[in-house]
Amino acid sequence: MGLWHVFYEGWQMECCGTPFSVGDEVSWPLLLLDADTVLGGGWRDQLTEVAGPVEDVGGVRMVREETGLPVALGADPDAEEDRRPRPGSRTRSAGLLSVERHGAKWPEAGGRVRAVQVLTQTWAETAPGSRSYEPVAGKRGLRAVERCPRWFTETEGERAADGRARRSCESGVVVTLDVQGTDSRLSHAVREARGIPGQGAETRGIGAADLAALLETLSTATPPRRRARRRHAGA
């Protein structure tokens, strides 16, 4: 089985999601996002690389990853032209896998939840007293939990040195999804870290909290040199 980091945004869960626990079987439509456009960027260990043929499925441009994972490619709604790879071509892209419950439909990826981590993001005022907030790039933390919450919280933080107010917001969860019949760089990294020679035993004999701690230390892909496309998976 292949291990994949998937970001389930808090608003997606609060809107129309179903909470899940470690060990549950789930099925989600996955969308590859430009990591620089999600919560201010600064993602490292949660990046994923996918490679494979591009196809059009019901009006959605997607990749059937070389080891079997179905992933939609988001389009940039602000771009003057669609720069996504065309159906029939091949692509290799790095980004942030996310659950997308809105808009078009495409084949889902099903697997077992191996770890759940609540992601807490720091937000700061755009200017002192503006009361308009933006995410602070890279200022986030992960907390291992057994079950994804239905609702997410936020707390007021200390003001920054320049006087801008700050908030700490639970912005979603990072899920480690174990998808049968696939393989990934993350799986290779876990096997290497645990001294396991072959595929299929990456999560055997390790608890969810220990697995989550291990995953935080592993980089799953090199950050993309070129900006990938944003969400909106319509072809």
Side-chain angles (χ1 to χ4, degrees):
M1 293 188 176
L3 297 171
W4 305 88
H5 284 313
V6 178
F7 180 44
Y8 204 132
E9 292 187 82
W11 73 268
Q12 294 263 7
M13 173 58 66
E14 292 180 344
C15 169
C16 47
T18 300
F20 50 87
S21 300
V22 173
D24 285 353
E25 292 282 347
V26 297
S27 182
W28 298 325
L30 299 182
L31 181 66
L32 187 68
L33 300 177
D34 176 354
D36 289 342
T37 68
V38 182
L39 297 178
W43 299 85
R44 292 178 297 274
D45 297 343
Q46 294 76 33
L47 295 178
T48 293
E49 184 177 89
V50 297
V54 180
E55 54 188 281
D56 186 286
V57 179
V60 176
R61 197 78 54 88
M62 64 182 303
V63 175
R64 181 69 64 172
E65 206 276 332
E66 290 175 342
T67 64
L69 190 77
V71 179
L73 299 174
D76 186 345
D78 299 324
E80 295 182 358
E81 60 179 310
D82 189 348
R83 297 180 179 177
R84 292 175 298 171
R86 295 184 179 280
S89 65
R90 292 183 61 84
T91 187
R92 182 177 297 274
S93 301
L96 187 68
L97 281 180
S98 69
V99 178
E100 180 54 69
R101 291 290 190 186
H102 299 77
K105 305 294 183 182
W106 59 89
E108 298 185 353
R112 185 179 298 275
V113 176
R114 294 299 186 185
V116 180
Q117 300 173 86
V118 173
L119 184 146
T120 301
Q121 172 72 44
T122 297
W123 293 67
E125 284 184 310
T126 54
S130 68
R131 302 184 67 180
S132 175
Y133 288 77
E134 62 184 2
V136 181
K139 293 296 184 179
R140 61 181 64 97
L142 295 169
R143 183 182 79 257
V145 295
E146 285 293 316
R147 183 172 176 79
C148 175
R150 181 69 172 86
W151 307 101
F152 296 85
T153 63
E154 66 177 59
T155 57
E156 295 293 333
E158 296 183 359
R159 288 186 175 273
D162 59 6
R164 293 186 298 162
R166 290 197 171 198
R167 291 177 177 173
S168 180
C169 303
E170 293 181 350
S171 300
V173 292
V174 174
V175 182
T176 304
L177 194 61
D178 200 341
V179 182
Q180 187 173 11
T182 70
D183 199 7
S184 66
R185 287 191 174 190
L186 178 57
S187 293
H188 283 282
V190 170
R191 290 196 293 269
E192 182 176 349
R194 300 191 66 203
I196 299 172
Q199 182 182 356
E202 291 88 345
T203 60
R204 188 177 301 163
I206 184 171
D210 290 336
L211 177 60
L214 173 60
L215 293 171
E216 287 185 63
T217 70
L218 302 176
S219 179
T220 61
T222 301
R225 293 180 180 178
R226 297 176 61 185
R227 294 173 68 87
R229 311 299 169 235
R230 298 183 197 172
R231 65 194 70 194
H232 299 302

